Amino acid sequence: MEKNKSQSVKVDNFSSTIGLAANPGFQSTLSIASKGLPQDDKPYNPFEHRNVQHPNTTLGSILHLLKSCLGSGILAMPAAFKNSGLVAGVIGTILAGFVCTHTVHILVKTSQQICVEAKRPSLSFAETCGAAFMYGPKRLRSWSGAIQKFVDYSLSVTYLSVLCVYVVFIGSSLKEALDVYMPGYQLSIQAYCALSLVPLVVVCQIRNLKYLVPFSAIANALIFLVFAITLYYMFFDLPPVSDRVMVANVSTWPLFLSTVIFAMEGIGVVMPVENEMANPRRFLGCPGVLNTSMFIVITLYGVFGFFGYVQFGDEVKGSVTLNLPQDEIIAQSAKLIMAFVIYLTYALQFYVPMEFITRMLATRKSNSYENLIQITIRTCLVTLTVAIGAAFPNLELVIGLVGAIFFSTLGLFIPVAVQTIYLWEKDFGRFNYILWKNIIIAIIAIIALVSGAYVSIDGILEDFGRHTVINIVDENSTVT
């Protein structure tokens, strides 16, 4: 077990939700009910009590955050700019990046403050949320356990929703690449999603995180190859910027915001990275690990979004790799490589909800049929994500929906709510500026959730209805 824990932080996922569940900073195993402990004259310093077997350097921590954010999400940024326009996209990306960075700062700072009061060396995301209630207003302390479980469940559901996006990503990439070489056997995206079921079920039977480490290394190397190929085509023979919309219709802005949040938000990896640092004081502050990483992320996302939209215009798809030329082998290979990368990443992301489920199964009185139960649960979960992905194959809209519902809640709303609860009977600063600032961010999160979900669902239903009409017309044509 200790070996797994020490190795788990080495898993470098490039998605906005890195699979580091085996990390002590992720697992919800620490008790937070330590009120009433003897008080020492010297304030408790949680950093001095952390026993990390293989701590990360400051540079290593920056790389972990970068790899957790620079993944498939960045390939969706051109589609986000399509929904905002060039000028609005640049401004919106900077503002969204600032808000996402600030909410991560809030979460980490609150966790560190609670560690001092609770006399605990470190807390995970879910534990921080539960402890905020435990050390917040007295009338809310009984909610602590329920809140911690709620966040644990929410994280698991969020990762499963990302897996649905991955299934659509695999199906779309395979269709774009293979339809060209098999014109007589063109399949639908749904069919390619279904064909991915067996390979995904097989790879997700791997239960030990150390066996997934090579998958991470391969995925990280291949994703940079895909980025290089994509950038080449993105900057080759760029059309005039004036040919593109500067500010898009306001009705499509929610899709922009939810896509950016999906791509940029890495709330699941924050606490594990901070908890595993050799010098955790350097995580926050200026420049700090967080600020340095997010500055690079925001810059790269802006570049990809801006020039991707300039190059492909309104024809840009949910992943810009799907816009690469179909008559060039290098471009087609990038699509197949990306499908393989997502396949490997699926297994890494799948580890997170399964780690939570495994902890729940550990409470069983008997270990009978343990192997059968594991295989059944894993097979059913993979089948569920494939079925959902196949049912809603529009990648752009699915990304918007997941970003709106899950990441605006976990990444924006919950951190400010946690800080507000914890500081309720303490100090909100001069003129209660922390309270007012958190209220504004909470309102932004709710707007992103409601508007993004509405626009995405409306688009999914419209797309579903359009495909139904096309199928009916095709059937009638065949009969005639």
Side-chain angles (χ1 to χ4, degrees):
M1 176 63 72
E2 289 300 319
K3 183 177 180 181
N4 286 349
K5 289 184 178 180
S6 66
Q7 289 180 335
S8 62
V9 74
K10 302 297 183 183
V11 179
D12 300 333
N13 191 5
F14 53 85
S15 162
S16 61
T17 48
I18 188 170
L20 288 167
N23 188 294
F26 186 96
Q27 293 178 338
S28 299
T29 56
L30 296 175
S31 172
I32 59 177
S34 60
K35 299 179 79 67
L37 290 176
Q39 299 295 320
D40 299 326
D41 293 336
K42 181 182 177 181
Y44 179 84
N45 187 341
F47 305 146
E48 296 177 352
H49 293 78
R50 291 185 181 179
N51 184 19
V52 182
Q53 188 173 356
H54 299 290
N56 291 324
T57 63
T58 300
L59 178 59
S61 299
I62 292 175
L63 293 177
H64 275 298
L65 284 183
L66 287 177
K67 290 175 182 177
S68 70
C69 294
L70 297 177
S72 57
I74 195 174
L75 300 175
M77 286 303 295
F81 270 64
K82 177 187 70 174
N83 293 313
S84 64
L86 290 176
V87 175
V90 171
I91 297 174
T93 300
I94 294 173
L95 293 177
F98 174 80
V99 173
C100 289
T101 303
H102 183 65
T103 53
V104 171
H105 184 281
I106 286 174
L107 178 66
V108 174
K109 184 178 180 180
T110 302
S111 180
Q112 292 176 350
Q113 291 173 334
I114 295 175
C115 283
V116 173
E117 186 172 355
K119 289 184 169 52
R120 296 293 179 184
S122 63
L123 294 170
S124 70
F125 183 11
E127 289 170 342
T128 299
C129 296
F133 281 74
M134 176 67 71
Y135 293 91
K138 292 182 179 179
R139 60 182 178 276
L140 297 180
R141 290 175 183 174
S142 60
W143 293 20
S144 174
I147 294 298
Q148 182 171 324
K149 290 182 180 179
F150 169 77
V151 175
D152 260 333
Y153 278 109
S154 298
L155 281 170
S156 298
V157 173
T158 298
Y159 279 96
L160 288 173
S161 69
V162 173
L163 295 180
C164 297
V165 175
Y166 285 177
V167 170
V168 179
F169 209 119
I170 293 172
S172 301
S173 298
L174 291 177
K175 179 175 176 58
E176 282 287 330
L178 298 181
D179 277 3
V180 177
Y181 301 107
M182 297 188 303
Y185 298 94
Q186 292 188 0
L187 302 176
S188 64
I189 294 178
Q190 290 91 333
Y192 280 112
C193 290
L195 289 174
S196 69
L197 175 60
V198 173
L200 289 174
V201 168
V202 172
V203 75
C204 287
Q205 298 304 324
I206 299 176
R207 304 177 192 178
N208 196 321
L209 190 62
K210 70 177 181 180
Y211 297 124
L212 294 176
V213 172
F215 289 22
S216 175
I218 295 172
N220 286 331
L222 292 178
I223 190 67
F224 284 110
L225 176 61
V226 173
F227 284 172
I229 296 174
T230 303
L231 285 171
Y232 168 77
Y233 286 102
M234 189 182 295
F235 285 98
F236 182 76
D237 194 19
L238 276 171
V241 175
S242 57
D243 289 352
R244 304 304 177 215
V245 177
M246 295 296 113
V247 180
N249 192 294
V250 177
S251 62
T252 60
W253 285 11
L255 271 179
F256 163 80
L257 181 57
S258 55
T259 301
V260 172
I261 292 174
F262 171 89
M264 197 174 294
E265 191 58 69
I267 200 71
V269 70
V270 171
M271 295 312 304
V273 170
E274 190 270 348
N275 289 341
E276 290 284 338
M277 285 186 65
N279 191 348
R281 293 180 181 87
R282 295 180 180 175
F283 189 87
L284 302 179
C286 187
V289 170
L290 176 62
N291 291 338
T292 302
S293 301
M294 292 306 295
F295 175 80
I296 297 173
V297 167
I298 294 169
T299 301
L300 291 177
Y301 273 48
V303 169
F304 256 83
F306 186 93
F307 289 102
Y309 176 55
V310 170
Q311 177 65 261
F312 301 108
D314 291 337
E315 299 301 317
V316 70
K317 299 180 180 180
S319 171
V320 69
T321 54
L322 302 179
N323 288 98
L324 300 184
Q326 292 187 328
D327 57 348
E328 298 187 24
I329 295 179
I330 295 179
Q332 292 295 80
S333 65
K335 299 173 185 178
L336 293 175
I337 292 172
M338 196 62 206
F340 182 64
V341 167
I342 296 300
Y343 170 73
L344 297 180
T345 308
Y346 186 104
L348 291 165
Q349 294 282 14
F350 187 79
Y351 186 89
V352 178
M354 275 310 304
E355 190 276 339
F356 175 65
I357 294 173
T358 300
R359 279 192 278 123
M360 294 179 60
L361 293 175
T363 60
R364 296 170 60 238
K365 295 181 179 180
S366 172
N367 291 328
S368 302
Y369 306 106
E370 177 70 23
N371 192 49
L372 178 62
I373 292 174
Q374 280 277 349
I375 293 175
T376 302
I377 292 177
R378 290 170 183 271
T379 302
C380 290
L381 286 179
V382 174
T383 303
L384 177 64
T385 61
V386 171
I388 295 175
F392 306 102
N394 190 313
L395 182 61
E396 179 182 351
L397 295 176
V398 172
I399 288 176
L401 182 62
V402 172
I405 295 179
F406 297 104
F407 287 102
S408 62
T409 302
L410 284 176
L412 300 182
F413 185 83
I414 288 183
V416 297
V418 164
Q419 185 188 45
T420 302
I421 293 295
Y422 178 65
L423 296 179
W424 191 260
E425 294 180 347
K426 296 177 178 65
D427 182 19
F428 281 117
R430 191 174 185 182
F431 304 119
N432 290 328
Y433 82 92
I434 295 179
L435 176 62
W436 293 112
K437 177 260 299 177
N438 286 352
I439 290 175
I440 293 174
I441 296 177
I443 292 174
I444 293 174
I446 294 173
I447 292 175
L449 190 157
V450 175
S451 62
Y454 174 79
V455 173
S456 298
I457 293 174
D458 183 64
I460 289 173
L461 293 176
E462 181 180 345
D463 188 59
F464 183 78
R466 188 187 309 116
H467 283 293
T468 302
V469 172
I470 292 175
N471 290 336
I472 293 176
V473 171
D474 289 341
E475 290 177 3
N476 292 337
S477 301
T478 303
V479 173
T480 304

